[in-house]
Each structure stands twice: as structure tokens, then as C-alpha cells.
Amino acid sequence: MRHDSNLIGRKVAKLRYMKGWSQDTLVAKLQVLQCNITRDVLANIETQRSVATSVHCFFLAKVLGVSIDELFRP
């Protein structure tokens, strides 16, 4: 997998950090909204080892309080 195939990982980590949330906290908030994600999946997205699905992008934007476009901005 190319490193640039995951464009949102670092932004998700930054937004989560700015809210003072742990990965477990963010995962819990996502799961409440019925987003099927684990802490391991989130960690892999944040460290750019895995690609976020369109469903993940939708729910991450919603929980983090940003637009989906914002997730893709550097």
C-alpha cells in the first residue's frame, strides 16, 4: 500500500488529540453511532497502515465535528 493512499490518518489523530480524547474514547463515540470500528483499526488508520473506508470517513467527521472535506485537508 502506498503511503499516500491514507490521506486522513494524521488529521484524525490531530483532531482527536485536540479534543483530549484517547483512541478508546473516540472508538466508543463511533460505536455509539453504530460505526463498526475497533481501537486497532483506528490506530492503523491514524498511523497510515490502513485505509479508512467511506463509512469510517463519514462517522469520523461526524464525531469529530468537522466536514468530510476537512479530514482531507493537510
Side-chain angles (χ1 to χ4, degrees), residues 2-65:
R2 290 182 4 199
H3 225 27
D4 64 354
S5 63
N6 176 339
L7 302 174
I8 72 163
R10 289 184 179 167
K11 186 66 171 263
V12 168
K14 178 181 177 182
L15 291 168
R16 177 180 61 75
Y17 179 79
M18 288 171 56
K19 291 189 173 285
W21 295 347
S22 66
Q23 288 179 336
D24 288 326
T25 298
L26 178 52
V27 166
K29 290 177 180 294
L30 291 164
Q31 289 176 346
V32 164
L33 295 179
Q34 305 302 309
C35 179
N36 186 21
I37 192 169
T38 64
R39 196 204 58 77
D40 287 339
V41 170
L42 177 62
N44 284 333
I45 290 169
E46 286 187 355
T47 57
Q48 299 180 299
R49 288 181 295 214
S50 295
V51 177
T53 67
S54 57
V55 172
H56 291 150
C57 291
F58 172 80
F59 282 109
L60 284 163
K62 185 173 180 126
V63 168
L64 292 167

